Amino acid sequence: MQKNIFDKPNKYINEIVTKVRIKEDKLKNFNGKTMAFVFFTKFCDVQCSHCFFRSDNEGFDLPKEQYEFSREGFEKFITFINSSNNGYLSILGGGEPFKKFEYIKETIKRAKTDRIVIVTSGMWGADEKNCKNMIGEMYEALCQRKTPTKVVLRISMDKWHISKIGIDCIFNIIDVFKNFFSDKENFELQLHTLTGDNSIDKVIEHYSGCTKTEGQKYVSDNEEIFKIGLYRYELHFQDGYKISVGIAQIFHSNLKVNLKNPNINLEQLITLFDNDMKYNSYSNPSLVRNKNNEWGLDYLISYNGNIATWGNEQLYGLNNLYTDSYQTIISNIYENVISYSLLDKGYFYRTKIISEVNPLAVLRSKAIHIRDYAGASILEENHTVLYYAIRVIQDYLKENIITLEELETLPKELLDAIKTKKMILKKMYENRSYSIIKQYMEKGTFNENEWKDLFNLIYFGHYSVSKEQVEEGIRYYNAHVNKKISKLEDVLENSKEHYQRLIERLTFMKPEAKKLCMENYRKLEAI
């Protein structure tokens, strides 16, 4: 019987990732100024219900680098940014960056970039004296730089934040900028809100004579590196001070969205997601357009050190600041044909190919409404990764980017699959015995919570799994636990701990980096 490569996808993914290379003279180079988004920490005290992180701040397991930058991680982050020809660095909220205020100040002093945007809830501004001191320390750090840059403090102001932390902290921050920094061109305050939210009106009501301009749709927050927002206008104060206000589409992140629920408007979720990709990301979240029409890479740097170009996370081939140098990361991005194809051909190319065999993976990646980790979601199933990789290679063969001679070292059965017609390849995919269940069984080590979380997601329709495959998974689960279950409903869960595990499942730290950080921790403990 002919071997079906989709029954053992891991083996063939590794063959492709390690052996298939596009020659340097055939590669596109994205040498423009880069953009980078970084989370210093996972933790936040506001804990908005629509936020992906939903941090509970109840402590964490070792090593702590799984959840926030250590000093070593921060230093490696600075090294990476200073090597990356950066034009726009955003220190993101989600995890509140002011929990790492020293890192903010050092980034302002040391990062080689043209623009630093710090996203925050502003809750640290509740005390007037503390508010003035912290903003003053940021400006002092800016003055200590050796090269010029612009620092923007961007306050997230919406009904969720106001309901948790009030609005006085926002007024305090505005007052400090109005009274002490209104004439500083390279030190700016911005506000940021969400569609359909009227929280900014409270600022207009609070400040006598404050008005807002008409604004523009799909406009960048600067003129050098185009970071497109949904809508932008200005607040004009009576004394002449101005604050730029950006409006973004709200994404109600939900890793447990019920794809079987007929009452959920999946079409609306998909439309919102695709429009964001089309208009805000130029159909390619991994790239950023420069003023001179050059393109640069757009990085997402996680609190655990994982780094990829935006939307290009691959859980089987992670890069991490703790273990990988700048050059290694860049090489991995360009040399991995799966990763490079997104840079080259964009988001809609990838979804089109994956939709040929696994439209549910595409739906899942959009419906959970988490743009940051859409790549990790859509490429979660190994058999789908293998199909995508083969189809990419087939297209590159047609375009003479890759030749068959360059693929001669691949196993014969894989090379035969690459040479076959699309319809036959699809049939092979459909006739596989492999599923997400088998993928979990291949891990070698059994973790009860991991299996319970998987069963929850299968129940909510996130994976295409046959009745027989589910039964096989249940038998495997029962063989490793004391209790016995007969159906998926027996392990449904809705706890905070469960949801945090789902976050970790999609964002887990590169194992080699986690091991290294744990070894470093043990060495320090032994001293």
Side-chain angles (χ1 to χ4, degrees):
M1 182 181 294
Q2 187 175 0
K3 184 183 294 185
N4 188 339
I5 62 172
F6 292 104
D7 288 335
K8 295 286 184 182
N10 268 347
K11 171 184 175 181
Y12 300 106
I13 292 170
N14 288 332
E15 289 284 341
I16 290 171
V17 168
T18 56
K19 294 182 180 179
V20 177
R21 294 285 184 269
I22 298 174
K23 289 185 176 179
E24 192 170 346
D25 62 342
K26 299 275 183 80
L27 285 171
K28 292 180 182 177
N29 289 305
F30 306 97
N31 293 328
K33 289 275 190 175
T34 67
M35 178 178 280
F37 296 81
V38 61
F39 297 97
F40 285 156
T41 178
K42 175 183 176 179
F43 301 116
C44 177
D45 295 322
V46 183
Q47 302 173 34
C48 295
S49 60
H50 64 281
C51 179
F52 166 53
F53 295 103
R54 301 186 190 178
S55 300
D56 54 21
N57 293 350
E58 292 178 357
F60 41 80
D61 298 326
L62 294 171
K64 68 178 183 179
E65 286 90 342
Q66 294 178 94
Y67 310 99
E68 58 186 21
F69 276 2
S70 64
R71 168 53 63 173
E72 179 187 2
F74 176 76
E75 292 298 331
K76 288 179 179 292
F77 154 73
I78 290 292
T79 297
F80 181 90
I81 290 298
N82 290 352
S83 303
S84 68
N85 188 29
N86 189 263
Y88 189 120
L89 172 60
S90 179
I91 304 173
L92 284 178
E96 172 55 59
F98 275 76
K99 282 184 167 290
K100 294 292 184 181
F101 186 50
E102 288 301 316
Y103 292 173
I104 289 176
K105 291 188 292 183
E106 288 199 44
T107 300
I108 293 173
K109 285 186 210 175
R110 299 168 56 193
K112 293 179 182 177
T113 181
D114 303 324
R115 187 178 186 87
I116 300 172
V117 178
I118 307 160
V119 180
T120 175
S121 69
M123 66 182 307
W124 46 270
D127 179 85
E128 292 183 43
K129 183 178 179 181
N130 184 63
C131 178
K132 181 181 177 183
N133 288 340
M134 292 181 77
I135 294 173
E137 287 179 39
M138 284 189 285
Y139 183 70
E140 183 180 346
L142 177 60
C143 293
Q144 293 176 22
R145 285 182 62 89
K146 296 179 180 178
T147 57
T149 194
K150 181 162 189 174
V151 173
V152 177
L153 184 65
R154 199 185 87 182
I155 312 296
S156 297
M157 185 178 179
D158 52 60
K159 61 184 178 182
W160 287 278
H161 284 94
I162 290 175
S163 68
K164 293 289 186 75
I165 64 176
I167 198 169
D168 287 346
C169 57
I170 309 296
F171 296 152
N172 287 342
I173 293 170
I174 292 174
D175 288 343
V176 171
F177 270 86
K178 268 171 47 66
N179 296 332
F180 300 100
F181 301 100
S182 61
D183 61 339
K184 310 301 181 187
E185 291 185 2
N186 287 332
F187 194 49
E188 180 184 346
L189 175 66
Q190 292 184 2
L191 298 179
H192 187 267
T193 190
L194 301 167
T195 52
D197 193 294
N198 62 1
S199 298
I200 300 295
D201 290 346
K202 297 181 185 298
V203 175
I204 298 172
E205 294 165 4
H206 181 78
Y207 292 94
S208 177
C210 181
T211 59
K212 66 179 181 180
T213 60
E214 188 65 26
Q216 292 179 278
K217 194 174 183 181
Y218 298 124
V219 62
S220 177
D221 67 347
N222 74 107
E223 297 178 352
E224 303 297 328
I225 298 282
F226 293 139
K227 178 68 179 78
I228 304 299
L230 184 62
Y231 192 77
R232 184 167 292 277
Y233 62 88
E234 283 186 335
L235 294 182
H236 287 235
F237 294 81
Q238 206 168 35
D239 60 2
Y241 184 63
K242 295 182 291 187
I243 296 179
S244 179
V245 180
I247 300 178
Q249 177 63 54
I250 184 171
F251 286 82
H252 287 280
S253 303
N254 182 6
L255 287 172
K256 285 189 69 173
V257 59
N258 189 346
L259 300 180
K260 296 179 178 178
N261 186 347
N263 296 320
I264 292 179
N265 192 338
L266 291 176
E267 185 176 347
Q268 182 184 38
L269 294 176
I270 293 168
T271 299
L272 289 174
F273 195 95
D274 282 349
N275 282 345
D276 182 79
M277 285 293 171
K278 182 178 180 181
Y279 297 111
N280 293 14
S281 300
Y282 296 101
S283 299
N284 197 330
S286 278
L287 301 179
V288 60
R289 187 161 71 91
N290 291 196
K291 182 180 180 179
N292 58 6
N293 285 324
E294 284 190 315
W295 292 87
L297 299 181
D298 191 348
Y299 299 105
L300 179 66
I301 306 173
S302 179
Y303 46 80
N304 60 18
N306 286 351
I307 179 169
T309 55
W310 191 286
N312 211 359
E313 306 80 9
Q314 298 169 38
L315 298 181
Y316 56 85
L318 293 169
N319 297 304
N320 190 284
L321 292 174
Y322 290 99
T323 54
D324 303 311
S325 67
Y326 169 79
Q327 194 54 56
T328 298
I329 292 168
I330 296 302
S331 296
N332 289 342
I333 289 170
Y334 276 97
E335 291 179 358
N336 181 337
V337 70
I338 302 170
S339 170
Y340 173 75
S341 67
L342 182 62
L343 307 183
D344 180 22
K345 297 179 179 292
Y347 169 78
F348 291 103
Y349 170 83
R350 184 173 67 183
T351 56
K352 179 177 179 292
I353 287 181
I354 293 175
S355 291
E356 293 172 358
V357 291
N358 195 349
L360 190 55
V362 178
L363 173 62
R364 176 182 70 234
S365 70
K366 297 177 183 181
I368 62 177
H369 258 213
I370 302 170
R371 296 169 297 169
D372 312 32
Y373 298 99
S377 176
I378 200 171
L379 292 174
E380 185 180 351
E381 295 157 279
N382 290 337
H383 46 288
T384 303
V385 173
L386 178 59
Y387 180 86
Y388 176 74
I390 292 173
R391 290 285 290 109
V392 166
I393 293 170
Q394 288 179 336
D395 284 348
Y396 280 141
L397 284 168
K398 290 177 185 176
E399 298 165 12
N400 293 316
I401 302 298
I402 293 174
T403 66
L404 282 173
E405 289 75 20
E406 293 166 352
L407 304 178
E408 287 179 348
T409 59
L410 295 178
K412 181 180 182 303
E413 61 273 21
L414 175 57
L415 194 54
D416 287 345
I418 291 171
K419 292 177 182 178
T420 196
K421 293 181 179 179
K422 181 172 73 173
M423 291 307 299
I424 298 175
L425 189 68
K426 287 173 66 175
K427 281 291 182 185
M428 292 173 63
Y429 181 94
E430 292 164 3
N431 292 333
R432 74 193 186 280
S433 61
Y434 195 85
S435 70
I436 190 71
I437 293 284
K438 188 78 74 175
Q439 185 170 321
Y440 267 59
M441 292 171 66
E442 285 181 348
K443 288 188 174 185
T445 57
F446 177 83
N447 183 297
E448 182 176 357
N449 282 332
E450 284 185 0
W451 277 87
K452 286 164 63 178
D453 296 341
L454 175 62
F455 286 159
N456 273 254
L457 294 177
I458 292 173
Y459 178 81
F460 286 116
H462 286 220
Y463 305 98
S464 180
V465 184
S466 69
K467 179 182 177 182
E468 292 73 23
Q469 288 167 337
V470 170
E471 290 172 349
E472 181 183 20
I474 288 175
R475 287 194 298 272
Y476 182 85
Y477 175 85
N478 285 338
H480 289 81
V481 295
N482 293 326
K483 48 187 176 295
K484 304 295 180 184
I485 67 169
S486 59
K487 55 188 183 301
L488 299 179
E489 293 93 314
D490 293 339
V491 292
L492 292 186
E493 189 175 349
N494 198 31
S495 66
K496 288 195 305 182
E497 293 76 17
H498 166 58
Y499 201 88
Q500 290 296 325
R501 293 200 306 267
L502 292 181
I503 296 172
E504 175 67 15
R505 181 178 180 273
L506 199 62
T507 64
F508 67 86
M509 187 179 190
K510 181 179 180 179
E512 294 85 349
K514 181 178 177 180
K515 180 181 178 182
L516 176 67
C517 291
M518 195 65 210
E519 289 173 352
N520 290 341
Y521 169 78
R522 290 185 180 125
K523 288 176 183 176
L524 289 174
E525 283 289 289
I527 296 175

